[in-house]
Structures are given as structure tokens and as C-alpha cells.
Amino acid sequence: MSMLILAHSLTQAHYMTKEEKNKLTRDALRHWYENHQEEYCNFTDLMHDRRGIGFDQVFKTAIMLVPKYEKALLLYLKNDRSEGIEDLEKILTDGGLKDQLALHFRAQMPDCIVPAMLSWLFFGRSFECMVEYGEELIQDGKLNFLLRRLASFNIKTIINRSLTIGARKEEDWVKFVSEMEDMGITPVVTAGVVAKFKSIPTETKVEMKSTSEKKPIPGKEKKRRSLKELLPNSDEYLLGSIDEHIHIKQSGKDLALLYLVLEKSRSLTNTSVVEFHAALEQRYEKKPNIRIPGHRGIQDNLKMLLTPTTITKKSGVEVPCMTFERPEYMFAYNDLVEKLGVQDYAYSC
């Protein structure tokens, strides 16, 4: 819960005034984002990890920059009358968080998450990630009522703030609710907020209100195709090879490359990353040594691999290509193609 509140506070901290943008401009962040894709995607992997390890790193960074924040947050969490988080945000502001972050961004010290964190807040699926995490906290039977109530409050504030600053549109949140339901999660709080949007059609409002009134059943998920069903011509050799690969490599970046190899070789039937992710979770849910990251971590890395770029030939001529076709990625791509032998499993439409 503390990590969710902190990330929420940081989101507010980075939509700056004109004067502040002179210190840390959107252009500077964009330049870092475009030239540090691997580092950025490694960070999004952490933020989408279900164990919350990314939020934990963000929290540790905040208390390093503003030590007073830690005690104030702990008292806030223990106070059963806590509601708004304005006082917490004021501590971060008065503690010079914005200037500290700008300084760490410019310094770009090794192992510092600040550049990736700021880029994620501006350009990534930061709002969606925070809301999804909050919905999962609410449905966690191990949390007490107070913490679930705080999670609900934060979800509402995060959604409304994203709309106020123009970072998201109302239709983005309608799509998000549908996506969550496709994953077998009933986002009751988010749907309740969306049902009150003014611009969406009446029919959509009714659907959202219906979702908000559902009682989530833990563990109940929509019927999805298994990994074997997503690979029409697969056999035990291919599935076993995938098992061996995932046992060793299971980050969002690794799974994005696996999806790309299977899709480009036409071994994988027409499916989305969301369904592919669900099939992986289903297959490895009883494997204690395998933790499948959130589907958005796979999506972010796949987007990076498919980003248009260029390769400079020895002649000096720049040739258009996708990022995954660059030498630093192509070796891993070809190695995985050979390891899985995917050329033998292509299917016909």
C-alpha cells in the first residue's frame, strides 16, 4: 500500500510548472527514453512484477531523497482516519523532491532508477499499472479493511488526476476496464469511476455500472486457450523446449522475444499478448521457480523490439529496420529460433 501511495505522489510531482520544466524538460526525458530502451524496459519489468518489487524500489528512492517521508507515510497507514494524501505530497514538495530528481536525472549515476522512473511516469503505462495494482490489493483477502479502503481512494484519485492533466482520456479507462475483465480480474472501483464519466455512451455507462456491482470471485477467470492450443502444430519437443527456456529466462524482455520468435515463425496462432501471457501463467502456476511477470511488461518490451530504427552499414548507408533486427538483439533472436526449432512448426491459415 505504501508503494502505491508513493508512486501516486510521484506522478503528481512530475507534471511540472513551466519554470520546473526548464530544469527537467519533456524533451530531455524523451531523448533518454529513446536511447535507453533496454534500461527502460528492465524498469517496467519491475513495475509490472506482481510482487511489487518495482514499487518497493520507487519507495526506497523517495525516502533516500526525502527521509521525512518514511515516518509520515507509516503514520498515515496506521491512522484509521486517513483519507487524502495532500499532506504526504506536501512533505515531498517541501523536501525538494523535484529538484533532487532533476539532479539525479542529470547525473545519471550507475544503478540509479530515477531516469527510468521519470520516463515511465511520462511515457509509460504508469497510471494503468498503479490502478491495476490497487485493484489487486483490494481483492487480496489478507489485507484489512483500512488498507483496502485506502487503495480504493487512491485508484479514484489516480484516474481523475490522469484526466485532469490530460495524460489519459475517458475512453482509455473504458478500454482498461475491458482489458482487466479479459484477464479475469473484476476492477470494481475503476468501473465505478468510469460509470460516472460524462462523455461515454449510456450503454457503456450501464456496462461499467454492472461491472462495479459485481462481487469478484477470487481465482475465477475466463476460459482461455492453453499454450498448446496457441501453438497449433506443437508437440512435446517444442513445449519442452519452451519450458526449458522459460525456466532460465522469464523476464518481460525474455518473454517478449519468445512471443516475437513464435509469432514471426508462424508457430503461434493469431492471439494477443494478453492471452499469450494468460496461457503462460496457466502453464507455470504450479512451478515455484517460475514467476511470469505482468502482461504489460511483455507488451512494453515487445513495443521496444518492434520500434522502427536504422542500421548503419560499413558503406555508411543507413538501412531501415526494426529494433530486434539490430545486431545486439538479432543474436538472441536467432539463438532462440534455433533452440526451439520453430521452423518445423509453422501453420497454415
Side-chain angles (χ1 to χ4, degrees):
M1 174 59 64
S2 62
M3 296 176 281
L4 179 65
I5 294 173
L6 186 275
H8 167 193
S9 300
L10 287 178
T11 302
Q12 167 67 5
H14 298 301
Y15 285 88
M16 306 176 182
T17 63
K18 290 182 179 180
E19 293 76 18
E20 289 161 344
K21 284 182 180 178
N22 289 331
K23 298 179 181 179
L24 180 60
T25 66
R26 184 178 289 267
D27 288 343
L29 284 171
R30 172 70 68 180
H31 182 267
W32 186 93
Y33 168 76
E34 292 176 346
N35 290 278
H36 296 81
Q37 279 290 294
E38 185 168 0
E39 190 175 342
Y40 173 82
C41 288
N42 286 340
F43 178 79
T44 64
D45 249 3
L46 294 178
M47 296 309 298
H48 293 301
D49 189 292
R50 283 182 147 181
R51 293 166 293 175
I53 56 179
F55 286 93
D56 189 41
Q57 286 204 16
V58 171
F59 176 66
K60 289 178 180 178
T61 299
I63 61 175
M64 175 191 71
L65 301 178
V66 186
K68 290 182 179 180
Y69 182 76
E70 183 176 19
K71 182 177 179 180
L73 180 58
L74 291 175
L75 290 175
Y76 173 88
L77 292 173
K78 292 178 181 179
N79 186 345
D80 62 4
R81 298 192 63 82
S82 293
E83 290 188 356
I85 60 171
E86 293 80 8
D87 290 344
L88 293 175
E89 291 180 340
K90 188 173 187 303
I91 290 174
L92 293 175
T93 301
D94 293 347
L97 179 65
K98 295 174 184 177
D99 290 337
Q100 288 268 22
L101 290 171
L103 179 64
H104 280 72
F105 176 81
R106 290 194 297 268
Q108 306 214 358
M109 299 294 288
D111 300 324
C112 177
I113 70 167
V114 169
M117 179 177 70
L118 294 179
S119 297
W120 179 71
L121 289 169
F122 272 106
F123 307 121
R125 294 175 60 86
S126 50
F127 291 97
E128 293 86 349
C129 179
M130 287 186 278
V131 168
E132 182 183 52
Y133 189 57
E135 290 282 4
E136 290 180 355
L137 287 175
I138 289 171
Q139 296 179 32
D140 186 346
K142 297 178 182 179
L143 294 183
N144 63 39
F145 173 78
L146 172 62
L147 293 180
R148 283 182 284 157
R149 183 171 69 92
L150 291 175
S152 174
F153 171 81
N154 277 281
I155 288 171
K156 295 173 183 176
T157 307
I158 289 167
I159 293 173
N160 289 326
R161 181 164 289 165
S162 75
L163 298 174
T164 300
I165 63 179
R168 297 293 182 272
K169 297 178 181 178
E170 291 187 347
E171 50 264 38
D172 293 328
W173 289 111
V174 173
K175 181 180 178 182
F176 175 79
V177 171
S178 298
E179 188 178 55
M180 289 282 282
E181 289 198 288
D182 285 342
M183 289 293 292
I185 301 171
T186 306
V188 291
V189 178
T190 305
V193 176
V194 174
K196 298 176 182 178
F197 287 168
K198 295 180 180 179
S199 69
I200 62 176
T202 301
E203 182 181 346
T204 304
K205 289 183 180 181
V206 172
E207 292 176 1
M208 294 296 112
K209 190 172 188 303
S210 176
T211 297
S212 70
E213 294 172 348
K214 290 180 181 178
K215 293 183 178 180
I217 302 175
K220 182 178 179 181
E221 297 185 0
K222 290 189 175 182
K223 171 64 178 172
R224 288 197 171 278
R225 290 179 288 179
S226 66
L227 184 61
K228 184 174 179 61
E229 291 173 308
L230 294 181
L231 300 166
N233 292 340
S234 65
D235 56 20
E236 290 307 312
Y237 177 82
L238 176 59
L239 292 170
S241 297
I242 292 175
D243 291 343
E244 290 179 11
H245 176 71
I246 290 181
H247 183 75
I248 300 171
K249 297 186 176 183
Q250 51 200 250
S251 70
K253 182 170 60 177
D254 294 321
L255 297 181
L257 186 64
L258 174 63
Y259 177 92
L260 188 62
V261 166
L262 294 172
E263 194 270 335
K264 289 293 183 184
S265 66
R266 304 193 54 201
S267 303
L268 186 68
T269 191
N270 184 28
T271 186
S272 66
V273 170
V274 171
E275 187 175 28
F276 178 69
H277 170 268
L280 294 178
E281 281 203 320
Q282 180 189 65
R283 185 172 180 84
Y284 302 111
E285 63 181 348
K286 295 182 180 179
K287 301 287 186 181
N289 296 325
I290 296 180
R291 284 186 173 271
I292 302 299
H295 70 280
R296 291 198 183 94
I298 302 176
Q299 287 175 326
D300 288 343
N301 279 278
L302 184 62
K303 180 180 177 181
M304 180 272 290
L305 291 171
L306 294 176
T307 299
T309 183
T310 59
I311 296 177
T312 303
K313 298 292 186 180
K314 291 182 179 179
S315 61
V317 177
E318 290 190 346
V319 179
C321 69
M322 296 293 184
T323 297
F324 82 91
E325 295 173 314
R326 294 183 63 84
E328 59 266 35
Y329 295 101
M330 207 60 195
F331 176 82
Y333 179 91
N334 289 332
D335 183 60
L336 188 53
V337 168
E338 183 176 351
K339 180 188 293 184
L340 301 181
V342 289
Q343 61 275 5
D344 298 327
Y345 300 97
Y347 71 95
S348 301
C349 296

